[in-house]
Amino acid sequence: MSRLQFTDLGIRALKPPEQGQVTHWDASLPGFGIRISQGGTKTWIAMRGEERRRVTIGRYPDMSLQEARGVAWDLLRRKQRKGSGVALRFGEAVDTFLSTHCAVKNRPSTAKETERLLRRHFEPEFKTKLLEDITTEDVMRVVDEVLERPAAARHVFTAGRTFFRWAVRRRYLQHSPVEGLQLPTRPVSRDRVLSDRELARIYEVARDRGHPFGTIVELLILTGQRRGEIGAMRRAFIDADSRVISLPASLTKNGREHAFPFGELAERALKEALLTGDFLFAARGTDDRAFNGWSKSKLLFDRQCKIDHWTLHDLRRTFSTIQARIGTPPHITERILNHQTGTLTAIAKIYNRYSYMDEMREAMRRYEQEILRILSTEKT
């Protein structure tokens, strides 16, 4: 019997036999192995001790070593329930899902949001319940509780669907209780553009509230960037001499590094934020995590602002609209906003590596002039 210390590199290097099949067993997890056929197909397996029955887990490389070892661990330490998958409780499964799927395959922000949705909406209802005992009606009852907030209902449903699909792949379930169901509400494309008077009021309140959330709102108005990008700003991203902010690919939505200039009004806001530590807007009570108090801060801001039905993303849309109003070419606005699509063709994007920094700087200068005009004419 061949026993190896399984590693990713070692699994990739395993050669198929000249004929038949060969099985290698993991030295660190007895009962966990990989079977290689003559044609080169590699299949993860587990051997249950008492039953001496081989269970197929999945194929490599479709299922990684880390995923396969996690499945094998649960199969080998738990008794099989008749006619179902592994007898696993929801809370335990969520812990495994977060550590083996979200932590490996998702961006940190996505993993954190998925955990929040599962912990807040599903876990209170299902924590000690066996996965196989959770029905479609159970899941939809959780989703229905937030139907008055369509966006929240979609996010809750999607998190649950992703989790239960993962549970099926891990052989914890035979069927997902939400498989075949549609999103509870249809996504609605927002087209809210703030009026000059509304924008002036928001800017005024932002200046009044100051750091951290007020300054974040101010920078959203002045730069047109996404809230997560501004909220996670670090001192190292800012070149004060050239007035350029460079966002790393790990922070941007499209996964591309993004450099854009900022004007004098934004420089003033940044100087106020730079009085703190590495993060310009650290989470409350800590210096080593980015700002995360969005909902509560927005609620308090709205109580003072008294403008109905607006979101932080509306500031980005309004930024783009004002740029068009002052005559900024669309491809320059798209560069500032770091839009992946734009007026350049796919071929042009490959060969056109010009940064347009001078053009963006001029657009920002003229935009700030327009903001100052709005503030002077739309005093609230």
Side-chain angles (χ1 to χ4, degrees), residues 266-379:
E267 182 180 39
R268 179 184 63 183
L270 287 169
K271 284 182 177 179
E272 294 171 357
L274 284 169
L275 295 175
T276 59
D278 177 34
F279 280 104
L280 270 63
F281 311 103
R284 186 175 181 180
T286 181
D287 293 329
D288 58 0
R289 292 202 314 273
F291 180 87
N292 56 16
W294 298 103
S295 297
K296 184 176 181 180
S297 297
K298 176 64 161 53
L299 180 62
L300 295 174
F301 190 96
D302 285 346
R303 288 177 182 173
Q304 182 177 352
C305 190
K306 301 187 186 307
I307 293 177
D308 295 330
H309 311 301
W310 74 283
T311 70
L312 293 178
H313 195 75
D314 292 341
L315 300 176
R316 181 172 166 87
R317 192 178 299 107
T318 303
F319 175 94
S320 179
T321 301
I322 293 177
Q323 289 285 7
R325 189 169 76 193
I326 64 177
T328 302
H331 67 282
I332 301 302
T333 301
E334 288 166 355
R335 286 275 179 157
I336 297 172
L337 297 176
N338 196 22
H339 278 166
Q340 192 145 13
T341 58
T343 58
L344 295 177
T345 65
I347 296 298
K349 288 177 182 177
I350 294 174
Y351 292 100
N352 187 352
R353 300 301 185 186
Y354 182 58
S355 69
Y356 292 97
M357 187 60 70
D358 290 340
E359 290 84 349
M360 287 193 290
R361 197 180 301 280
E362 175 62 15
M364 286 300 211
R365 184 190 67 79
R366 296 178 66 239
Y367 174 81
E368 286 200 351
Q369 286 182 340
E370 179 67 3
I371 292 296
L372 289 173
R373 185 197 67 77
I374 291 172
L375 295 176
S376 65
T377 58
E378 299 291 346
K379 292 181 179 181

Side-chain angles (χ1 to χ4, degrees), residues 170-297:
R170 293 287 292 251
R171 307 297 192 269
Y172 296 155
L173 285 174
Q174 290 185 331
H175 304 287
S176 165
V178 295
E179 198 59 44
L181 299 181
Q182 295 181 340
L183 285 169
T185 59
R186 179 178 297 178
V188 177
S189 178
R190 289 184 55 89
D191 56 3
R192 176 96 150 92
V193 174
L194 298 164
S195 68
D196 286 356
R197 178 170 290 276
E198 289 173 327
L199 186 62
R201 177 58 182 164
I202 292 171
Y203 192 94
E204 178 184 88
V205 174
R207 288 295 300 164
D208 181 63
R209 297 193 71 85
H211 191 275
F213 189 72
T215 308
I216 289 176
V217 172
E218 186 179 359
L219 287 171
L220 292 177
I221 293 173
L222 296 173
T223 68
Q225 305 308 302
R226 296 179 176 89
R227 75 170 200 180
E229 296 164 351
I230 295 299
M233 284 269 291
R234 292 174 179 261
R235 183 182 296 268
F237 300 168
I238 303 169
D239 185 336
D241 294 333
S242 60
R243 283 188 186 166
V244 172
I245 293 173
S246 298
L247 302 176
S250 59
L251 184 60
T252 63
K253 182 178 180 180
N254 59 21
R256 299 185 307 181
E257 184 177 349
H258 177 43
F260 62 93
F262 56 89
E264 293 181 3
L265 295 179
E267 182 180 39
R268 179 184 63 183
L270 287 169
K271 284 182 177 179
E272 294 171 357
L274 284 169
L275 295 175
T276 59
D278 177 34
F279 280 104
L280 270 63
F281 311 103
R284 186 175 181 180
T286 181
D287 293 329
D288 58 0
R289 292 202 314 273
F291 180 87
N292 56 16
W294 298 103
S295 297
K296 184 176 181 180
S297 297

